[in-house]
Amino acid sequence: MNFVLGNRPNARECSTVVIATILFGVVGLLASSVFDGQRPELFVSEMLPGFSIAFSVEPLGMIFALVASGLWILTTIYGAGYMRGHHEKHQTRFFGCFALAIFAAIAAAFSSNLFTMFVAYELMTVSTYPLVTHHGTAEAKSGGRIYLGILLSTSIAFFMMAIAWTWSLCGTLDFKQGGILNVPYEAGEISTLALGVLLGLFAFGIGKAALMPMHRWLPAAMVAPTPVSALLHAVAVVKVGVFSLLKVVVYIFGIDLLQATGVNLWLAYVAGFTIVVASIIAMTKDNLKARLAYSTIGQLAYISLGAALATPDSVIGGGMHIVMHAVGKITLFFCAGAIYVAAHKKNISDMAGLGRQMPWTFGAFLVASVSIIGLPPGGGAWSKWFLAVGTAETHQYALTAALMISSLLNIAYLVPIPIQAFLKPRPDRDSNHDSDHSHDHGEAPLACVIPLVITATLSIVLFFAAEPIYQALLPIVSE
């Protein structure tokens, strides 16, 4: 990229925004055909018999692709403001790896078989490692080792084994409406117990879903710049994880098979455990990004819960939560980065009174928090509703309670942040002595503020525009 653009940051960032906009436009054109019932396909090559790189656009993947490509535009604009405002080094490498990660996300979204998904999944891991270790400090390198170590070891030890086992049973890795494992199960080639083990290999092999205890990579990755955190938590990495798990449940196992065998219920309780415990841990964190990281672990488990319950309503709720959480959580991370750029604050205990100087940032934080909690008029209210319906349909009332308890904990660890920012007075003296102008700053640069205002607004818009998302997802649970 340096060879093409030279040392011209404006050209670099403008070209990135233009490419991101073109990508979103192409995905939008594909969406119109997919939602009309068509399934555009592209065969690239066959590595070995039955192992091909191929793409097929279906509704669940299209929803994910629209989210990833749309938020990439805003994250690029925000990233430019943040990286310049914080005088970060190696910005060309940053934007290059960022673009590669989005490519991997779109490839995973449109994958037509498990092999293609696995290749895209691993490309996502490798391309985001330089982003996690961007600062080059000992802390960044340590976080990067944890990030790479957990994600690669889980995918090699479990994900690959699950794919190989599926191939040996079915003779194909293609995603199919209603699943492909029902045939070997009905033929007696795999027992109910073994089916549960296979589900476990997928669930923990897809480490980016961050189910406990495979979650430590996510807090460790918070050493990255905030735009990377937004990429990790909202646009690409974790969403590739839960999207992949949801796609495996729908198109490899099939929700009918899971309902008939009941091998999915243990996974639902693992997700429920993760939801509650991650929310409790989030309450203990004073560092804002650390609190949001554990919040993400819990919110991802909502989507895993929707997949594990394996009812039409729960699967739709999980698919909707991919959208709702992406928009809400990217807003929260945008706000965290804006606070750091403008006020140089990382800890929540140091943010008292900041809302008077940064009203747009903390106002957006409050709006996004409402959506993450699951209250109207935030879009997250609808996805949590369908997930709760899924727990009731399966008579898993302990999981209903987990959802309710988690929402209360969400209130406890999110709402006090903007309240103290707006209502508590600023201390007379900056306790961290990190700036001689700690009381003189205003909002972060416009390139940071405008994206977070847009995404906060989208959090509300999604509450009133949930019907098209529901209708788009309906075909994936219809035979």
Side-chain angles (χ1 to χ4, degrees):
M1 190 175 287
N2 274 330
F3 175 77
V4 177
L5 299 177
N7 189 23
R8 291 181 290 175
N10 288 334
R12 174 190 63 213
E13 289 150 10
C14 286
S15 64
T16 305
V17 172
V18 169
I19 293 169
T21 304
I22 293 172
L23 174 63
F24 182 65
V26 171
V27 172
L29 290 174
L30 287 172
S32 61
S33 61
V34 170
F35 298 149
D36 286 337
Q38 301 177 43
R39 297 291 184 271
E41 296 181 353
L42 174 65
F43 179 85
V44 178
S45 66
E46 188 173 52
M47 309 300 178
L48 289 170
F51 289 82
S52 62
I53 300 294
F55 302 95
S56 176
V57 187
E58 46 77 39
L60 181 59
M62 178 51 67
I63 291 291
F64 176 47
L66 285 171
V67 170
S69 60
L71 292 182
W72 184 31
I73 301 172
L74 296 174
T75 309
T76 299
I77 296 170
Y78 177 89
Y82 179 93
M83 299 298 278
R84 291 190 188 190
H86 204 243
H87 308 292
E88 294 281 356
K89 298 179 180 179
H90 309 300
Q91 294 187 31
T92 299
R93 183 185 69 193
F94 171 88
F95 284 104
C97 291
F98 207 96
L100 189 58
I102 294 298
F103 168 78
I106 300 300
F110 292 158
S111 58
S112 68
N113 57 65
L114 276 172
F115 179 70
T116 304
M117 174 183 283
F118 181 77
V119 172
Y121 181 95
E122 294 306 313
L123 178 60
M124 173 70 72
T125 302
V126 174
S127 64
T128 49
Y129 173 75
L131 298 175
V132 172
T133 59
H134 178 82
H135 289 141
T137 62
E139 184 184 14
K141 292 176 182 178
S142 175
R145 284 193 295 269
I146 296 172
Y147 176 82
L148 203 62
I150 292 178
L151 292 184
L152 286 181
S153 62
T154 53
S155 62
I156 292 170
F158 304 133
F159 198 6
M160 282 183 64
M161 185 182 297
I163 293 172
W165 195 354
T166 302
W167 164 255
S168 69
L169 288 169
C170 304
T172 180
L173 297 175
D174 291 345
F175 295 122
K176 178 184 175 184
Q177 186 77 24
I180 60 175
L181 285 170
N182 56 318
V183 174
Y185 178 77
E186 291 170 359
E189 297 173 8
I190 182 171
S191 66
T192 301
L193 177 61
L195 198 66
V197 173
L198 180 57
L199 179 61
L201 289 174
F202 275 116
F204 293 115
I206 302 174
K208 293 186 179 74
L211 283 169
M212 290 183 173
M214 306 300 182
H215 67 288
R216 287 190 60 246
W217 64 271
L218 205 156
M222 290 302 97
V223 296
T226 300
V228 178
S229 301
L231 173 77
L232 289 170
H233 289 262
V235 182
V237 180
V238 294
K239 289 302 183 297
V240 163
V242 288
F243 163 78
S244 298
L245 181 58
L246 198 58
K247 196 161 183 174
V248 164
V249 164
V250 173
Y251 296 123
I252 297 298
F253 285 85
I255 61 175
D256 290 341
L257 178 61
L258 292 177
Q259 287 175 6
T261 59
V263 299
N264 52 311
L265 288 181
W266 70 268
L267 179 57
Y269 277 89
V270 169
F273 175 83
T274 302
I275 288 170
V276 175
V277 173
S279 299
I280 293 172
I281 296 174
M283 291 181 62
T284 68
K285 300 298 180 181
D286 187 40
N287 181 280
L288 180 54
K289 284 177 66 176
R291 181 172 294 192
L292 295 181
Y294 277 97
S295 169
T296 295
I297 293 169
Q299 294 292 320
L300 291 177
Y302 282 108
I303 301 169
S304 299
L305 175 63
L309 288 170
T311 73
D313 282 328
S314 71
V315 169
I316 288 176
M320 292 181 73
H321 204 62
I322 288 177
V323 182
M324 307 306 183
H325 175 257
V327 175
K329 187 53 64 73
I330 201 171
T331 304
L332 297 181
F333 272 101
F334 280 173
C335 292
I339 294 165
Y340 187 55
V341 168
H344 307 290
K345 303 295 185 185
K346 294 182 178 180
N347 294 332
I348 297 164
S349 56
D350 296 328
M351 295 180 186
L354 280 180
R356 298 181 183 89
Q357 294 168 288
M358 305 180 70
W360 287 102
T361 298
F362 281 97
F365 193 100
L366 179 60
V367 170
S369 297
V370 168
S371 182
I372 294 294
I373 292 165
L375 295 173
W382 292 119
S383 53
K384 288 194 176 184
W385 167 264
F386 282 106
L387 291 171
V389 169
T391 62
E393 287 175 334
T394 54
H395 307 292
Q396 301 301 321
Y397 301 114
L399 294 174
T400 309
L403 290 174
M404 299 303 104
I405 292 169
S406 174
S407 292
L408 293 175
L409 293 172
N410 293 164
I411 295 172
Y413 68 69
L414 286 176
V415 174
I417 298 171
I419 286 179
Q420 77 164 7
F422 282 115
L423 300 183
K424 285 189 176 181
R426 290 294 309 274
D428 292 334
R429 185 173 177 81
D430 182 13
S431 60
N432 288 330
H433 305 284
D434 52 14
S435 173
D436 293 331
H437 306 286
S438 60
H439 296 281
D440 299 332
H441 67 81
E443 294 280 4
L446 278 178
C448 292
V449 176
I450 290 174
L452 64 86
V453 170
I454 292 173
T455 53
T457 304
L458 282 174
S459 293
I460 297 176
V461 170
L462 286 171
F463 178 79
F464 300 98
E467 175 69 14
I469 301 173
Y470 174 82
Q471 292 297 334
L473 290 169
L474 199 56
I476 72 174
V477 294
S478 302
E479 291 294 338

